[in-house]
Amino acid sequence: MIFPMLLSAIDSRGVVDIITVIDCTPQSDNWVGQMLIVYDGKVEGQLEPVVIDKILGIVQTTGWTKPVTISVEDQQGNTYRIFWDRVVKKRCAIVFGGGHISQPLVQMLTAIDFEVTVIDDRPEFANSTRFPGAHQVICNNFQLAMNNLTIDSGTAVIIVTRGHRYDLDCLRATMSRNARYLGMIGSKKRIKEIIELVKAEGGPADIERQLYAPIGLDIKAATPAEIALSIASEVVAVFRGGSGRPLSGHKEAF
Amino acid sequence: MDRTLVEHICECQSNGETAALVTIVETRGSTPRKAGSNMLIFPDGRSFGTIGGGCGEAEVRRQALTALDEKRSQLHTVRMLNDVAADEGMVCGGIMEVFIQIL
């Protein structure tokens, strides 16, 4: 059975390619609906060996950006139309600070299907009743909590603690870990000081480009929930490659 | 395809249920959902997930029930271009090709 194998591959690997034969010429119902799953260089499922090799060649040499259909021919001249999909591990978000912005922010990130981890060192803020949708709520010192967390190209790091001292600690600990999104709250003036300080300490030279600070899109957010919306929108734009501009094209709409 | 759907399929299969897995494999023009969107349709009419709702989905649902009867996986094209579509509220104006896979 291919689906139980697929499930365990997703859980252990993170990236799994799924190939489905959706059409075959000359018509042959035998192959239509057949699936292959490809992960870690391994293949599960059954198709003609020549076709499997050709598909593997495509999967390994083509960059996958979205689900596509492709055609593969075997030696007898049969053409297989296949659908190539991929399951990728859920996008993750780590939110440092469990305050007023974090609460709506975690709700929004959960709604758009992020696996969210919240960290705060104050028990009254770091508890799961405050963050019902969160994957995990960690009550610990920020630096200690960070040691056990994975940060990779599928992770958004959002630094919104209660004080700049803590923000700075979190930034130091996360800035060289290749997060897809790294955002930090603060006024322009404060951000400038922090960046200068981090650079003087030998931090990454391109920290300004890497760091989204002041955090969020310009929607003139005023309340904690509006700020959360502005942050969540920026995170989506970065993950999806959006411009953050109005789709209407209005340049001075506001 | 996301993990939740795969988990759901595994559950159905271990209960011995048959189902049709519907996947949008290609779209042209404007469609409510894009390639890779999935939905499960059961012989009794229950479903899980959505490929965009409205008349397009209803048409696919009917086709999937027929496919389940015939036990034959097949491609199906949904056109949301003509006046009928606009009248029926399918105003997106695109074409989508779906694969109905009998599990």
Side-chain angles (χ1 to χ4, degrees):
Chain A
M1 296 294 263
I2 200 103
F3 285 100
M5 274 194 272
L6 177 56
L7 192 62
S8 62
I10 294 170
D11 287 341
S12 58
R13 301 296 153 197
V15 177
V16 185
D17 288 294
I18 308 167
I19 307 291
T20 311
V21 178
I22 57 172
D23 205 2
C24 193
T25 8
Q27 213 120 51
S28 153
D29 285 343
N30 295 351
W31 298 118
V32 175
Q34 283 291 322
M35 292 173 94
L36 291 183
I37 55 177
V38 184
Y39 58 99
D40 248 13
K42 276 194 288 184
V43 190
E44 304 280 1
Q46 274 156 12
L47 274 179
E48 282 192 51
V50 186
V51 179
I52 292 184
D53 284 346
K54 284 200 174 175
I55 291 171
L56 267 184
I58 295 170
V59 168
Q60 283 158 357
T61 56
T62 317
W64 187 93
T65 51
K66 58 179 186 184
V68 284
T69 58
I70 40 182
S71 287
V72 179
E73 212 173 286
D74 68 10
Q75 284 157 325
Q76 286 79 43
N78 299 316
T79 306
Y80 300 80
R81 194 163 159 233
I82 63 171
F83 179 64
W84 176 16
D85 197 4
R86 177 175 282 185
V87 187
V88 187
K89 210 176 120 226
K90 231 177 173 184
R91 301 174 297 185
C92 295
I94 302 171
V95 179
F96 291 101
H100 298 298
I101 294 172
S102 302
Q103 217 176 2
L105 178 62
V106 171
Q107 278 178 15
M108 290 174 196
L109 291 172
T110 308
I112 54 176
D113 230 18
F114 273 77
E115 194 176 275
V116 187
T117 299
V118 190
I119 305 166
D120 203 301
D121 52 2
R122 301 163 295 175
E124 64 273 34
F125 286 89
N127 61 73
S128 43
T129 11
R130 223 173 121 72
F131 299 101
H135 170 65
Q136 53 178 343
V137 182
I138 302 173
C139 182
N140 203 342
N141 168 292
F142 292 110
Q143 276 138 315
L144 289 177
M146 223 142 9
N147 295 337
N148 299 321
L149 295 175
T150 311
I151 298 176
D152 57 24
S153 61
T155 311
V157 172
I158 298 156
I159 304 173
V160 284
T161 74
R162 65 184 176 284
H164 295 296
R165 191 159 48 93
Y166 301 101
D167 286 342
L168 181 58
D169 287 343
C170 295
L171 178 64
R172 284 194 186 111
T174 52
M175 63 191 177
S176 303
R177 293 183 58 184
N178 296 321
R180 177 73 157 270
Y181 174 89
L182 176 61
M184 187 176 70
I185 203 156
S187 66
K188 273 191 181 144
K189 181 171 167 285
R190 180 72 72 173
I191 298 291
K192 198 165 162 265
E193 288 166 10
I194 287 183
I195 284 178
E196 275 164 16
L197 179 62
V198 167
K199 275 189 172 170
E201 290 172 355
D206 64 342
I207 182 77
E208 283 113 320
R209 268 204 300 125
Q210 229 193 87
L211 180 67
Y212 289 84
I215 200 168
L217 294 183
D218 177 14
I219 54 170
K220 279 279 175 284
T223 65
E226 287 178 3
I227 294 167
L229 178 64
S230 134
I231 298 172
S233 311
E234 183 170 73
V235 170
V236 173
V238 168
F239 271 73
R240 300 278 193 200
S243 70
R245 281 192 291 272
L247 291 170
S248 63
H250 293 182
K251 286 199 180 103
E252 290 168 65
F254 317 110
Chain B
M1 204 181 287
D2 69 4
R3 193 190 176 281
T4 325
L5 180 87
V6 178
E7 207 176 0
H8 207 79
I9 292 173
C10 290
E11 225 174 270
C12 296
Q13 290 190 329
S14 68
N15 294 337
E17 280 184 283
T18 50
L21 170 63
V22 175
T23 307
I24 301 180
V25 293
E26 218 160 270
T27 64
R28 259 161 293 159
S30 180
T31 55
R33 296 202 67 189
K34 298 297 170 198
S37 304
N38 300 99
M39 158 173 206
L40 276 176
I41 293 166
F42 298 92
D44 61 5
R46 274 177 307 131
S47 61
F48 178 83
T50 177
I51 53 162
C55 301
E57 185 175 296
E59 181 186 326
V60 170
R61 181 188 291 270
R62 279 193 299 276
Q63 192 65 35
L65 291 172
T66 311
L68 278 164
D69 270 346
E70 296 170 351
K71 297 187 172 53
R72 195 172 67 83
S73 299
Q74 55 196 262
L75 281 167
H76 182 73
T77 303
V78 183
R79 290 166 207 282
M80 297 182 266
L81 294 171
N82 54 24
D83 295 345
V84 180
D87 289 346
E88 298 290 335
M90 290 195 289
V91 289
C92 278
I95 296 178
M96 63 178 185
E97 193 178 18
V98 299
F99 182 60
I100 301 167
Q101 184 178 355
I102 306 302
L103 303 178

